[in-house]
């Protein structure tokens, strides 16, 4: 019997064989050093990339091929073409890296990241690690797939956040920075499993800094991290884990906003509200990394809840949001999850505030955020403030809400990271500033105007960030 998945795989394979055309006028295959895996050439137009589920050799290689590798060591590499909305090519050097990472049980896993840099060589180029808010449970929603030319467009898949936040990646490339974008949810799309995402993010940085074609400075590379909302889950946990998990990395600053510091609080606030569908998907994602939570859900969900779980097993963020809003998530369970010791133990593991980051932090949050409550963020900042060596700048925006604060706050975060890359010192201490709107800061206005210009230039295949 031919299953739909096998049939689709055969169709895609046939297309790859029959398709013909000229390659884009982009850089040729990178030449690897002997200690680097051979870099596969990019697909020629119009051959489309395979979704991760149909590309197991790269996304899910045999465990014996990487079990003995060190965290961050590269398993495979290939050149790719990246594009806005899967259609408009972006004129930068770009590759995908498959690398060894570690799950929360200490077991080796394979992870994937997209690495990009402006054309040409620049000595001592910094690296910007951007964690996109994937917020999805389907592997076709992964940034590494969605950012490629010829992928199924975000307007169809529902990966609108990936497409939108790729503009922030391009703003960083326009500064002349190299970029790494990890698929931080891992091979099982474990949305909201923060400790896993933090490890994958740090190992993605390790892989990028040691990938020869990126022309970086290894462990001496200045690294900055940034993420918003679901991307802040990975960013915040990476910041807290860095000292113990990847102490050799030269992380000079971390910027995060819309911070899900406590998934438990977000789940409680979402119950019966507009965000119920998206936040429940987070619980489903966490259960993929913590089987004990999945067992609780399978055992205690009523019929409607099990239908909801089945519907959300393979969806990207936009569809996660519009399916089952205002649902009574707790009412679909036979037991209150917030009083069950198994559930509370898992949720505690995903909570931020386990360690104080050893690098400067820039944090911003909308006070009237309807998706991610501000209270746990205030508590997290207060926890960091107990350490006299903490260096945190925290801004609370009283006019914006969750969706609007991302584009409003991103320019300020990028400018803050630019100062960190420039070596401007940050004095110890934690400051909290309340503002009407971060949009009123005129220093940030040029960032987005430049980004619009960069995006328009990309339409005409102008190189981004070259010569910076």
């Amino acid at each position: 019997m031919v299953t739909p998945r096998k049939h689709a795989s055969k169709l895609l394979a046939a297309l790859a064989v029959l398709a013909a055309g000229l390659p884009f006028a982009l850089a040729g295959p990178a030449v690897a050093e002997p200690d680097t895996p051979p870099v596969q050439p990019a697909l020629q137009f119009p051959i489309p990339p395979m979704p991760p589920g149909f590309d197991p050799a790269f996304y899910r290689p045999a465990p014996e091929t990487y079990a003995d590798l060190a965290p961050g060591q590269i398993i495979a590499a290939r050149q790719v073409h990246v594009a806005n909305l899967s259609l408009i090519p972006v004129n930068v050097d770009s590759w995908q890296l498959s690398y060894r990472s570690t799950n929360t049980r200490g077991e080796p896993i394979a992870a994937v990241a997209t690495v990009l840099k402006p054309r040409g060589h620049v000595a001592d180029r910094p690296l910007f690690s951007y964690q996109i808010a994937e917020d999805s449970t389907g592997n076709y929603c992964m940034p590494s797939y969605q950012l490629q030319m010829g992928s199924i467009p975000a307007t169809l898949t529902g990966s609108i956040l990936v497409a939108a936040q790729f503009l922030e990646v391009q703003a960083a490339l326009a500064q002349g920075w190299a970029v790494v974008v990890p698929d931080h949810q891992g091979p099982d799309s474990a949305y909201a499993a923060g400790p896993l995402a933090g490890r994958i993010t740090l190992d993605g940085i390790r892989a990028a800094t040691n990938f020869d074609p990126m022309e970086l400075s290894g462990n001496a590379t200045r690294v900055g991290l940034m993420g918003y909302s679901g991307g802040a889950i990975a960013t915040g946990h990476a910041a807290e884990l860095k000292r113990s998990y990847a102490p050799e990395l030269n992380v000079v600053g971390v910027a995060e906003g819309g911070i899900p510091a406590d998934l438990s609080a977000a789940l409680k606030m979402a119950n019966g509200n507009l965000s119920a569908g998206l936040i429940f998907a987070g619980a489903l994602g966490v259960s993929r990394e913590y089987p004990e939570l999945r067992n609780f859900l399978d055992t205690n969900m009523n019929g409607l809840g099990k239908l909801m779980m089945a519907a959300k097993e393979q969806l990207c963020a936009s569809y996660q949001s519009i399916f089952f809003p205002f649902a009574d998530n707790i009412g679909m369970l036979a037991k209150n999850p917030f009083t069950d010791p198994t559930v509370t133990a898992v949720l505690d593991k995903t909570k931020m505030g386990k360690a104080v980051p050893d690098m400067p932090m820039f944090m911003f949050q909308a006070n009237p955020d309807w998706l991610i409550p501000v209270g746990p963020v205030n508590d997290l900042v207060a926890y960091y403030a107990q350490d006299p060596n903490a260096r945190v700048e925290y801004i609370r925006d009283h006019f914006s809400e969750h969706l609007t604060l991302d584009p409003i706050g991103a320019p300020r975060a990028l400018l803050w990271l630019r100062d960190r890359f420039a070596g401007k010192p940050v004095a110890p201490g934690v400051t909290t500033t309340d503002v009407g709107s971060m949009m009123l800061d005129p220093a940030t206005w040029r960032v987005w105007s430049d980004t619009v210009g960069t995006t328009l230039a990309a339409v005409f295949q102008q190189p981004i960030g070259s010569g910076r």
Side-chain angles (χ1 to χ4, degrees):
M1 178 177 178
V2 179
T3 65
R5 177 167 176 166
K6 289 181 178 178
H7 182 65
S9 180
K10 289 181 178 179
L11 287 175
L12 287 169
L15 179 61
V17 172
L18 295 174
L22 294 175
F24 285 105
L26 300 174
V31 178
E33 295 294 331
D35 60 346
T36 301
V39 180
Q40 304 168 29
L43 295 171
Q44 292 187 342
F45 177 80
I47 302 175
M50 291 281 195
F54 295 98
D55 192 10
F58 194 82
Y59 283 88
R60 289 183 179 271
E64 60 267 21
T65 64
Y66 60 83
D68 295 331
L69 300 181
Q73 194 167 348
I74 297 170
I75 303 167
R78 61 189 181 191
Q79 191 180 30
V80 295
H81 299 313
V82 294
N84 284 304
L85 297 174
S86 307
L87 179 65
I88 306 170
V90 177
N91 194 347
V92 294
D93 294 328
S94 50
W95 301 267
Q96 284 179 351
L97 304 179
S98 174
Y99 57 94
R100 193 268 205 199
S101 190
T102 310
N103 65 17
T104 55
R105 294 175 293 282
E107 302 163 344
I109 59 170
V112 172
T114 305
V115 294
L116 315 94
K117 75 173 186 66
R119 304 285 190 199
H121 173 74
V122 171
D124 196 30
R125 193 192 297 272
L127 177 66
F128 175 71
S129 181
Y130 189 80
Q131 289 60 251
I132 285 179
E134 184 181 335
D135 294 5
S136 304
T137 55
N139 57 45
Y140 61 94
C141 317
M142 293 175 175
S144 62
Y145 173 69
Q146 287 292 162
L147 296 181
Q148 288 188 76
M149 166 69 90
S151 60
I152 303 171
T155 49
L156 298 178
T157 64
S159 294
I160 299 300
L161 292 173
V162 177
Q165 293 188 336
F166 188 44
L167 295 177
E168 297 177 30
V169 170
Q170 292 169 73
L173 289 164
Q175 298 291 319
W177 305 342
V179 178
V180 54
V181 181
D183 292 350
H184 55 79
Q185 293 185 179
D188 295 323
S189 296
Y191 165 35
L196 172 71
R199 288 168 172 82
I200 290 174
T201 296
L202 292 169
D203 286 328
I205 295 168
R206 283 169 160 157
T209 55
N210 290 290
F211 181 55
D212 294 335
M214 284 288 277
E215 300 178 319
L216 298 173
S217 304
N219 292 340
T221 303
R222 291 161 294 150
V223 179
L225 285 76
M226 182 170 158
Y228 187 88
S229 190
I233 294 176
T235 304
H237 281 277
E240 293 191 6
L241 285 167
K242 182 262 175 185
R243 191 198 316 245
S244 60
Y245 186 78
E248 80 282 3
L249 296 179
N250 182 24
V251 178
V252 298
V254 172
E256 57 181 350
I259 306 162
D262 185 353
L263 179 59
S264 177
L267 285 165
K268 291 175 182 177
M269 188 172 80
N271 197 62
N273 290 328
L274 177 63
S275 59
L278 182 61
I279 297 300
F280 179 81
L284 189 61
V286 171
S287 75
R288 294 179 174 181
E289 181 64 14
Y290 300 93
E292 61 269 36
L293 177 59
R294 182 60 188 238
N295 182 64
F296 174 88
L297 295 175
D298 288 340
T299 302
N300 291 281
M301 272 289 181
N302 63 19
L304 178 61
K306 290 180 179 179
L307 175 65
M308 181 174 172
M309 289 172 62
K312 288 180 169 292
E313 285 283 8
Q314 293 291 326
L315 291 181
C316 300
S318 297
Y319 296 123
Q320 293 287 11
S321 299
I322 64 175
F323 285 176
F324 300 98
F326 304 104
D328 181 6
N329 296 331
I330 299 175
M332 289 186 286
L333 289 162
K335 295 173 62 178
N336 186 337
F338 303 111
T339 60
D340 184 271
T342 298
V343 176
T344 56
V346 170
L347 293 176
D348 182 69
K349 291 175 183 177
T350 66
K351 185 177 179 181
M352 296 183 196
K354 298 293 191 297
V356 178
D358 62 350
M359 75 290 292
M361 300 283 294
F362 178 78
M363 304 169 66
F364 57 103
Q365 180 76 23
N367 198 54
D369 195 314
W370 54 273
L371 186 67
I372 302 299
V374 68
V377 185
N378 295 336
D379 294 342
L380 180 64
V381 172
Y383 166 74
Y384 290 162
Q386 296 175 19
D387 187 331
N389 296 314
R391 291 167 290 171
V392 179
E393 180 180 350
Y394 175 40
I395 295 181
R396 276 192 302 246
D397 186 307
H398 289 265
F399 182 74
S400 305
E401 49 75 55
H402 189 80
L403 297 180
T404 56
L405 188 60
D406 182 11
I408 288 172
R412 176 71 179 274
L414 288 167
L415 290 173
W416 183 87
L417 280 172
R418 187 171 69 181
D419 286 343
R420 305 290 76 75
F421 286 145
K424 293 185 179 180
V426 176
V430 175
T431 62
T432 299
T433 305
D434 291 284
V435 300
S437 172
M438 294 178 71
M439 185 170 57
L440 300 178
D441 182 356
T444 67
W445 298 345
R446 184 174 176 178
V447 175
W448 275 129
S449 65
D450 288 349
T451 301
V452 171
T454 296
T455 304
L456 291 174
V459 174
F460 299 97
Q461 277 295 279
Q462 295 298 309
I464 297 179
S466 297
R468 294 298 295 264

